[in-house]
Structure formats: C-alpha cells, structure tokens
Amino acid sequence: MSPSTPAIPPINESKMKLYEMFAQKQIAPPPNLSHPGVVASSSSSSSSNTVFNFPGFQPSNDLFTTKVEQMLIELDRLLKQSGNLPFSLLPPHHDIILVMRQIPLLINQSAQPTLLRSVVENVIYQLYQSNTGLAVEVYCRFLQTLLELSPSISKETLSWLLYSEDERKNDVWVITSLVKYGLIPLEEFDVKLSKQLNHNPTEQHIEFVTEILQNCLLTMNPITSVEEHVLVVNALMKLESPKAVELIQDLENRSNQLYKHLNPKNDSFSLRLLFAEWIRVCRINTTTNTLYKQFAQRILSQVSSSTDRLCFFFRLSTETCIELYPPARPQAIDAYTKLIGYMVRLQENNMARIKMISHVLSVIVLVIAHQHENQSIHFNQKPFLKLLSSLFIELNNATNRDKHAHAGFITVYSNVLYTLEPSQFPGFAFSWLQLFSHRLYLPLLFATDQEEASQKGQTICFKLISAHLSFLNQLLQQRSSRRFTQSEKAFYQGTLRFLVVMLHDYPEFLCRHYLSLIQLLPVDCIQLRNVVLSSFPKTMILPDPFTTSLGYMAANSTVPELYIKQDYSDIIALLDAYLTGSTKSVGRHIMKHLRNDQDQQLDNKKLQQLIFYVGSHTTLDIDKSLSENPAVQIIKYLLAHMEESKDRYLVINAIVDHLRYPNTHTYFFSMTLLHLFASQSEPIKELVTRVLLERLIVNRPHPWGLLTTFIQLIKEPMFTEYEFIKESMTHSPDIKRLFDNVLK
C-alpha cells in the first residue's frame, strides 16, 4: 500500500456482526452510498479506519454459491499464509492459482443470477483490504478474469471505479494496480482526473493524482506513458501546488535527460506533450479536417525553425510511437503518420514536400539502425513495419495529385527500402519483404502511363529483388547440411509467393531480367528457378508442349528482349573469335577463366554467363551437324575436361536455365541438350535426365521449354532401355508414374 495511505486495522467482532446483518438484510444500507458494496464506518471510527463493506452472498440453496463462498474464504486464507511472495514465483499448480481457476467455472455452472455480482463485490472489497503485494496482484488478476464473464457487470464495476464520488476508493496502491492490469480505461480516467483538477482541487486530491502519476510514470519500469495522461499533466502544469510542481519538474528532467545532447533548447518534454495532444485529438472521431490542419500548422511552427530541430522532433515522435506500439495502444503510429501527411500538404512547393518526406524517412531508418544494432536478437520489427506501411499509404495519398511530387516520393521511399535491405538488417527481413510486396507499391513501380517512369520503376524493382535474392542466397549457404529453421522456411515461402505474384502480374519483367535473377539463386532452389523461368509475355499463347515439335519451335522462334548486365571483359574477345572461326583454340583460356584464383573452384556465376553468351551469339546451321557448332563444341569441351561430377552438373543446369517460352535461345539450348544426350557417354545421359527430372518433380509451374525438351527426350525409342532409367523406375514410383503419363 502507498506510504500515504494509513494501514487498515483488522475487522473486529462487532463489525463482523454488522456485516452479517447486512447480508441477512436485517438493516438497509445508508442511502448516501453510490455503490451497494460500500458502507460508511461507524461514527466511533476515525476516517482513516473506514472500510468497504462486503454485503455477503444472498441466502440460497444453490450448492455452487455455497462452494464459491467457501473458496473465497480459502483464497483469503492462502494469501495470508503466502506472505509477500511475488506472483510470478507461484508454480502453475499452486493452490491460489487453482482456486482462481475453479471459481469462474463454478459461476458459469450456477443458476444463481447474482452470484457473479456478489463475487466481484467480494473481490473488490478484499482488494481494498489487502496489505501485501501478492494479495493486490492476485485480486487484480482475479477481477480481470471475472469481468470478462459479463460485459454488463464489467461496465458497472468500471463505472463505479471511475465515477463514484466516494473518496474511500482513492487508494493509490489499489488504483495503480488496477491501471497496471488494464482494469481502468486510461482515456476516461485521464478525463475524470483532469476535470477534478480544473475545478478547485483540494490538496489531498492533488496529492492523490501526483502519487498515481509517480507510480505510473516515474518508476524503473513505467506502467503507462505521458500520452495517456496528457490532460492531467496539462492540468497539473497550471497549478502552483508544490506536489504538482515537483512532479512536472521530475517528468521534464526525465524526458530532457534522454535527449540532452540532441536538443539544445532542452524542451523535449514540451515537444512530447505537444505530440501527445495530437494523439488525443486524433482519437476524437468528431475532429474536423480544418482542426487537423490548424493543429498541424501549430506543431510545424514550433519545430520547423531549423532542419536539426525538425529532425529531432521526427526522432522524438518516432521513438515515442515505437515505445507505445503494444497492440493495446496502436493509435500513436496512426496519429503520427496522419501528422506527417498534414505537414507535407502544408509545404509550399514540391521540393519542400520531397525534402520533408526525405527527412522523415531518413530519421526512421536511423532509428531502425540504432535499435537493430543495440537490441540484436531482441529487435522488434513489427512497430516499424506498421509505421512504414502506414506512412507509405499516407504519403502516397498526400502526393498523388502532383505527378512530380509523387515520383519524388516513390524514389525516396524506394531508396529507403534499398537502404534497409535484408543483408544489412536481417532482423527486419520479414517486414522488408512485406513492404516491398505491398499491394500499392509494386503497381506504382510498373506504372505504364509514361515509358520513362515505368523504366525507372522497373530498374528500382530489379535492384530490390536482387537485394532480396542475394540475402536468400546467403541464408541458404549458411544452412549447409542442416534443415531449415522455422524462420528460414517462412522467409523462403514468402519469397516463393512473391515471385508467383510477379509471374502472374508482371511476367514481362521476369522475362527481361531472368538471367540476372537466376544467377542470384542457389542451384538447389529448383522451384524458385522454375517460377522465374516459367514467365512468358502476356501477348503470347503457348502451344501444347505434348504436341509441339522442334520444327515448330524453329519456325516460330524470335529473339527475346533481355536486360543483360554481365561481365565478359576478360574473355569476350576470345569467345567472339572462336564463335566466328577466327581461332581454333580457346578451351584452356575458358577453363582458367571459370576457376577462382584463390581456391581454383568452379565459379558458377561465370559459368552461367559463359553458357548464355556462347548460346546467344551463335546460329544453328540446318545444313551442318550440331557437333560442328562452335558453341556446342565449347560445352562439350567443358563436360570432357571437368573432373568432378558436381561441375558437370552445373554445366547441364546452366543449359537447362534457358529452356523457357518459345524463342531462339530456348530452341538452341533444347537442341543442344538433346544432342548431348544422344552423343555423350552414359554418365552424361544420366546427368541430363537427372537435371530435367529435378525440375519436373517439384510443384508447378514448369517452364514450357523444359516440358517440351523432356517430352522429346523420353519419346526416343531407346530411352527406357538405359540401365539408369530402369533403376530409377524400379526404385521411385513417382518417376515411373511421370514417365508413364508422358509416354501415353
């Protein structure tokens, strides 16, 4: 109990008889009480000894009522025996916890309609009689459970706690505990206390309010925030009472101390109080647009004297929103984003608007970076996700009437996403993916009203997807031989869903950038590769792969439009010379180019670039055999001179990566793969079959070129006669079923 509250003496025998008389309705309660559970003390008792009277249970033959009454007595006895033991140390099956669980069950089974009300009155009475921390916490938790059983009784109880004029309920310790457990609605509580302070408050009432705020705001672990007591704080600032002045001074010192190096004016508390007032205004449904503008203009006039002060206000507000984020209090972020929207609209021109947007987002990035570094694995990304997503929607609405301002906003926001890429902020990866794939953001990047803007948006999208896939690649490389963790699996599934959305809505983008994207994917991410490679232009109708011949592909293939950003600087001259017949020896130079200088391991990225280059810079001569084609000869050379099977596997994979929709590249690599199967040794045949099967046994989609090539392959008369095919069909029913379905 609070030091300012006198200790309440135990109930003597004479008073207990009085309570029993009330319970038996032998006398009526005094008419001046505002709640049936409160009675005045006898005239012989001092005011400090007044207690709340529990009128007792109504006489009833209900077995449940009797049992509940006995259990409440038992609960009181157990609490007295337990002393001041912290509630958190009670084991799950402690008698106190068991009693708290059983009483609500009995109430639900009872036919007595007034039983719950009687229990609630009893618990409130016992709460005010408690003199240990354990008892107060137990009764608060128990009351919380009971009030969930009946909305009407909950409303009546909270109404009494808030609006009863009986001064005896103003126990600092009890009220603080009720606030801690959410049993008192803080907004209404703030209004009620502020009204009392604004109308000739007594010194006793001021002391009560200041002690409540001290317990809620100035402890090591504050229960509430200044934003939830803004009216009371403003009312106290107008008073000259020493208690009020001291409390306000303590609040100012605590707030200003946190930002003393960032705010030369040392008015952090005043700015936070200003922001708190804005939050309170936003909670009022009847607030008009004019009032919002006036309030935003008032805030802007106080914080825009310099760029540093403006950025400090943004930082203070951002950190306040993050502090207030818990789900019970999400309004702060919504209010902050609304404030930013009005402040942007109040700027004079587009340049000023973009500058302010840049300041806001830069501050948020710095706060994320600071907390991500300091909190490490305890970093909470959820409030920042809500803040950035809400801010994006608000700023999108604030700038969409002017195309120049809107384009500037998209650029700034995209730069923020690129700065927050998962490789730099892995603790923000899930939120980053959600922001990037936002239903309103991607369409803005692919806007088709202006070709230049659309091209710029696609460039931004490619940068962000590249950052995303690079992080996924790092994540999977760290995995080595262990299984996916739950978070890694969730991120992979999120990536898969995102790429499926891109495949459905923006297939042309994947068509143009597929080469760079698949180079960022690990070789074993087969389904992701299939999704990227399954893209084809929306204007194209794909033929049936089961009935399409290679002749159709040769006659109807066009050169695909690609975004190519590859580095061939140190070997391109040799490749061009070999492909045009100017030189006859290039193999050793290629092998040297493909090996890393440090460990002499095969560089898969260089291999993919090489395979694509030779395949896209050659032509098929129908009068010559494929074995005479220089590009095919290079591929054969690679397969022949690579000692390790995994390197040859990468070569075949690099070829299969170009089996897409009907085009010249698909035709060449399909013909090359069929030629390799027909002309190479059985280990190469097995490798080709393995790679194709790996791509086909995963879930759809499957690239059209992959299906067509595989169908052409297994239709060869001798295909099922190979020993490795027979073994595969024997040991794997899935593979046998696949072959049977295709061969039908």
Side-chain angles (χ1 to χ4, degrees), residues 73-92:
I73 296 173
E74 176 66 11
L75 178 61
D76 183 54
R77 185 187 67 80
L78 290 171
L79 289 172
K80 290 177 180 177
Q81 283 184 351
S82 301
N84 209 15
L85 182 72
F87 183 84
S88 58
L89 296 182
L90 295 180

Side-chain angles (χ1 to χ4, degrees), residues 659-723:
L659 301 180
R660 304 189 297 143
Y661 65 91
N663 59 60
T664 55
H665 297 167
T666 300
Y667 176 60
F668 170 78
F669 286 108
S670 179
M671 293 292 293
T672 300
L673 207 60
L674 294 174
H675 173 73
L676 291 175
F677 188 88
S679 62
Q680 295 292 297
S681 62
E682 187 160 318
I684 300 298
K685 297 179 191 291
E686 183 176 358
L687 204 56
V688 170
T689 307
R690 172 193 168 185
V691 173
L692 292 175
L693 283 175
E694 284 178 346
R695 301 289 182 101
L696 288 170
I697 61 177
V698 298
N699 292 332
R700 293 181 295 176
H702 301 117
W704 179 89
L706 177 70
L707 282 170
T708 303
T709 304
F710 181 72
I711 291 168
Q712 295 296 325
L713 182 66
I714 66 174
K715 284 183 177 180
E716 292 293 328
M718 298 297 295
F719 180 77
T720 56
E721 299 301 321
Y722 292 109
E723 192 64 31

Side-chain angles (χ1 to χ4, degrees), residues 411-653:
T411 301
V412 172
Y413 184 79
S414 300
N415 290 337
V416 166
L417 288 184
Y418 191 68
T419 303
L420 295 173
E421 63 174 308
S423 298
Q424 301 298 325
F425 298 91
F428 192 65
F430 285 99
S431 297
W432 185 91
L433 178 56
Q434 191 165 341
L435 291 170
F436 177 32
S437 58
H438 195 281
R439 62 184 179 84
L440 297 180
Y441 178 63
L442 282 177
L444 295 178
L445 296 182
F446 291 92
T448 56
D449 53 345
Q450 290 186 353
E451 183 176 351
E452 182 180 353
S454 177
Q455 188 62 39
K456 184 177 180 181
Q458 292 190 41
T459 302
I460 292 172
C461 185
F462 174 71
K463 285 174 57 179
L464 294 175
I465 290 184
S466 298
H468 177 195
L469 296 182
S470 296
F471 173 71
L472 180 65
N473 195 352
Q474 296 173 17
L475 204 63
L476 298 180
Q477 286 178 352
Q478 295 172 1
R479 175 175 59 95
S480 63
S481 60
R482 64 177 174 82
R483 289 181 175 273
F484 273 143
T485 63
Q486 186 175 1
S487 57
E488 289 171 344
K489 186 176 181 180
F491 191 79
Y492 174 85
Q493 290 175 339
T495 303
L496 179 60
R497 292 177 181 179
F498 170 69
L499 288 178
V500 169
V501 171
M502 293 293 295
L503 175 65
H504 181 271
D505 293 346
Y506 311 106
E508 287 87 355
F509 173 83
L510 294 181
C511 289
R512 283 193 292 270
H513 296 84
Y514 88 97
L515 185 61
S516 299
L517 296 180
I518 60 173
Q519 290 176 5
L520 296 171
L521 291 171
V523 176
D524 54 354
C525 281
I526 296 173
Q527 192 170 9
L528 293 182
R529 301 177 91 84
N530 276 355
V531 171
V532 174
L533 298 175
S534 295
S535 58
F536 61 92
K538 285 186 176 181
T539 56
M540 177 179 288
I541 300 177
L542 294 179
D544 184 0
F546 289 90
T547 59
T548 303
S549 64
L550 294 176
Y552 171 86
M553 197 188 305
N556 295 274
S557 295
T558 58
V559 179
E561 179 186 352
L562 297 176
Y563 170 82
I564 301 175
K565 189 179 180 181
Q566 310 293 328
D567 182 15
Y568 307 102
S569 55
D570 55 347
I571 199 173
I572 189 170
L574 281 173
L575 290 176
D576 288 340
Y578 185 78
L579 293 174
T580 57
S582 302
T583 183
K584 299 298 182 182
S585 177
V586 75
R588 286 190 302 171
H589 297 286
I590 290 177
M591 294 299 293
K592 183 179 179 181
H593 169 74
L594 295 178
R595 298 290 178 181
N596 291 323
D597 295 333
Q598 293 83 2
D599 54 9
Q600 292 300 305
Q601 293 294 316
L602 182 66
D603 189 324
N604 189 39
K605 184 176 181 180
K606 289 182 178 180
L607 174 64
Q608 290 175 317
Q609 293 174 350
L610 175 72
I611 295 294
F612 172 76
Y613 188 85
V614 299
S616 60
H617 287 75
T618 189
T619 55
L620 289 177
D621 191 342
I622 58 175
D623 297 328
K624 293 183 179 181
S625 170
L626 265 178
S627 59
E628 300 178 23
N629 187 283
V632 176
Q633 291 175 352
I634 290 177
I635 293 173
K636 286 184 175 181
Y637 181 89
L638 293 176
L639 292 172
H641 289 79
M642 288 184 174
E643 299 177 357
E644 297 188 23
S645 177
K646 66 176 183 179
D647 292 342
R648 295 193 293 272
Y649 173 81
L650 293 177
V651 174
I652 302 299
N653 247 307

Side-chain angles (χ1 to χ4, degrees), residues 20-40:
E20 291 173 354
M21 293 171 65
F22 273 115
Q24 298 171 7
K25 297 187 177 180
Q26 294 179 3
I27 60 175
N32 60 338
L33 293 180
S34 59
H35 188 271
V38 181
V39 298

